[in-house]
């Protein structure tokens, strides 16, 4: 393998923390922009009526021993010629059933698509779940946006997969969210996890699994370790802790098994989706609500970055909204902000976040 430089054990630990004003109030109006895989005004009504409480369980975050990123050599990114693509399917569950793929109520078959190195494995695994696409269930998993993310992770030597799920509507509570997360992440016969880990090059057990997600997909990613114990880290992009309720998203004082120190969150400062503000970033990662827009991860608490309009590429018309990483907020997500997309290495860029996840596994 082609070693370039050693990765620091504690990623981004030397960055300064910049104090900012406390978060601004969310707009009372909510709009669905073109290409926004978010929530419409109709869905916002459902949010207001959603169940906010979930059962809590004991959290052992502070006693975990594998929370700090593993020190390893940073490898040269693979080229297109050194990658190969693949597709597959798995079975999700009907809302009334307890196991993925059961009948007679009509389990749903969902797709996944990914990339992996041509070189023989085993390789670590990355699983990504995209955001809500109202009325179009199981879609958006193979858009340019989703495939950019998984392909860039495959360039780092991962079996990297974008997984479709029931994203045609929002989860109204923890039970509905976990019904989706379970069929992606539980190691059971019909799950996406079982199918992906069965690939000959996938080293789920030997190399580790990291996850990522956007919006509702970020919620699912944060619930991943509730169903698969081998999750080493999660990147939550544009995550909200509504309507499911904060306890679903929190490790300390909540029911999320994934430790605080295994989580990184990146949200836009002017995201109009409820539950995406600075206080959410701090609750999800374990930092105190201190009005600071950036905290690097440490051994017990995750990291987060609240992207400001000043961070974006000059002229970006969308601003630091729910899809701040796009340049023009167009359908399909094929135009990205140059300060987020590769080769950018800003501390909120795609490269930086994937490198942080890469630092949590072995190769």
């Amino acid at each position: 393998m082609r070693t370039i430089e050693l990765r620091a054990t504690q990623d981004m630990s030397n960055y300064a923390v910049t104090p900012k004003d406390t978060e601004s109030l969310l707009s009372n109006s909510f709009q669905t922009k073109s290409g926004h895989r978010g929530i419409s005004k109709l869905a916002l009504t459902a949010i207001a009526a959603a169940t906010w409480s979930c059962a809590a369980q004991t959290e052992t975050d502070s006693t975990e021993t594998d929370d700090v990123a593993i020190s390893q050599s940073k490898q040269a990114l693979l080229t297109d010629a050194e990658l190969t693509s693949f597709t597959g399917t798995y079975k999700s569950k009907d809302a009334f059933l307890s196991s993925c793929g059961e009948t007679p109520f009509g389990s749903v078959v969902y797709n996944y698509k990914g990339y992996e190195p041509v070189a023989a494995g085993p390789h670590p695994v990355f699983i990504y779940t995209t955001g809500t696409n109202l009325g179009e269930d199981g879609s958006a998993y193979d858009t340019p946006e989703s495939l950019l993310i998984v392909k860039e992770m495959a360039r780092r030597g991962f079996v990297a997969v974008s997984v479709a799920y029931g994203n045609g509507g929002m989860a109204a509570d923890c039970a509905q969210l976990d019904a989706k997360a379970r069929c992606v992440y539980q190691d059971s016969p019909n799950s996406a996890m079982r199918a992906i880990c069965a690939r000959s090059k996938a080293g789920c057990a030997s190399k580790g699994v990291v996850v990522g997600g956007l919006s509702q997909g970020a919620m699912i990613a944060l619930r991943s370790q509730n169903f698969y114990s081998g999750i080493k880290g999660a990147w939550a992009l544009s995550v909200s802790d509504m309507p499911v309720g904060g306890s679903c998203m929190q490790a300390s004082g909540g029911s999320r098994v994934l430790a605080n120190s295994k989580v990184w969150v990146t949200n836009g400062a002017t995201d109009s989706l409820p539950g995406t503000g600075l206080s959410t970033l701090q609750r999800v990662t374990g930092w105190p609500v201190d009005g600071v827009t950036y905290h690097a991860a440490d051994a017990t608490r995750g990291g987060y970055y609240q992207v400001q309009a000043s961070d974006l590429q000059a002229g970006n018309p969308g601003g630091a909204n729910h899809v701040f990483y796009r340049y023009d907020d167009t359908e399909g997500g094929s135009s990205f902000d140059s300060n987020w997309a590769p080769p950018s290495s800003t501390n909120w860029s795609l490269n930086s976040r994937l490198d942080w996840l890469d630092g949590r596994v072995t190769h």
Side-chain angles (χ1 to χ4, degrees):
M1 300 185 76
R2 296 163 294 170
T3 302
I4 294 180
E5 61 183 358
L6 291 178
R7 178 191 306 279
T9 300
Q10 184 59 55
D11 182 40
M12 299 173 68
S13 60
N14 292 325
Y15 281 99
V17 175
T18 305
K20 298 280 187 179
D21 295 333
T22 55
E23 66 176 302
S24 60
L25 295 175
L26 290 172
S27 170
N28 290 327
S29 62
F30 184 87
Q31 297 178 341
T32 301
K33 292 184 177 285
S34 172
H36 187 305
R37 289 193 259 290
I39 304 175
S40 66
K41 290 182 178 180
L42 178 62
L44 188 59
T45 303
I47 290 176
T51 302
W52 285 60
S53 61
C54 301
Q57 64 188 55
T58 302
E59 167 61 32
T60 58
D61 183 7
S62 61
T63 62
E64 294 204 11
T65 58
D66 64 342
D67 288 333
V68 178
I70 298 169
S71 179
Q72 63 178 44
S73 295
K74 184 176 182 180
Q75 307 300 321
L77 297 182
L78 300 178
T79 66
D80 283 356
E82 295 173 297
L83 299 177
T84 184
S85 63
F86 60 89
T87 60
T89 61
Y90 76 102
K91 291 182 179 181
S92 190
K93 67 181 287 295
D94 184 277
F96 299 100
L97 300 173
S98 59
S99 298
C100 303
E102 286 187 356
T103 57
F105 295 103
S107 59
V108 181
V109 175
Y110 286 119
N111 299 310
Y112 58 80
K113 183 172 184 177
Y115 298 89
E116 63 187 10
V118 172
H123 304 290
V125 171
F126 170 68
I127 297 176
Y128 176 79
T129 43
T130 190
T132 307
N133 201 13
L134 287 175
E136 299 186 30
D137 201 51
S139 66
Y141 78 99
D142 60 350
T143 60
E145 175 179 303
S146 299
L147 295 183
L148 170 67
I149 292 171
V150 296
K151 193 171 188 179
E152 289 301 315
M153 201 55 155
R155 293 189 195 281
R156 289 163 168 77
F158 282 74
V159 175
V161 193
S162 179
V163 177
Y165 67 97
N167 70 334
M170 281 293 296
D173 54 33
C174 290
Q176 289 186 18
L177 182 66
D178 278 354
K180 301 179 183 189
R182 180 180 295 107
C183 294
V184 175
Y185 286 111
Q186 191 171 55
D187 186 17
S188 58
N190 293 301
S191 70
M193 177 63 77
R194 176 69 66 87
I196 294 165
C197 290
R199 296 190 62 79
S200 61
K201 296 180 181 180
C204 292
S206 60
K207 302 297 183 179
V209 180
V210 290
V211 301
L214 166 68
S215 195
Q216 182 176 198
M219 298 180 187
I220 289 174
L222 290 174
R223 300 293 292 176
S224 58
Q225 200 171 11
N226 286 59
F227 305 102
Y228 186 81
S229 62
I231 304 298
K232 302 298 184 182
W235 172 42
L237 177 64
S238 298
V239 73
S240 169
D241 61 0
M242 295 174 61
V244 297
S247 64
C248 289
M249 297 293 96
Q250 294 172 217
S252 300
S255 62
R256 193 189 80 212
V257 173
L258 190 69
N260 284 334
S261 55
K262 295 180 179 180
V263 173
W264 191 285
V265 183
T266 314
N267 280 17
T270 56
D271 193 335
S272 58
L273 185 67
T276 56
L278 187 57
S279 59
T280 292
L281 273 66
Q282 294 173 326
R283 286 194 299 269
V284 169
T285 56
W287 287 94
V289 181
D290 54 9
V292 177
T293 61
Y294 173 45
H295 275 299
D298 65 22
T300 60
R301 293 178 290 196
Y304 69 82
Y305 194 96
Q306 187 186 54
V307 180
Q308 309 296 309
S310 59
D311 291 319
L312 302 176
Q313 176 184 350
N316 188 327
N321 62 11
H322 196 59
V323 288
F324 60 85
Y325 48 88
R326 297 187 196 162
Y327 180 74
D328 55 7
D329 199 17
T330 55
E331 184 66 41
S334 58
S335 179
F336 304 107
D337 190 280
S338 62
N339 291 335
W340 178 81
S344 175
S345 59
T346 63
N347 53 14
W348 57 277
S349 67
L350 178 60
N351 274 340
S352 293
R353 295 305 97 230
L354 297 186
D355 284 345
W356 181 78
L357 286 173
D358 189 10
R360 307 198 65 90
V361 301
T362 57
H363 284 272

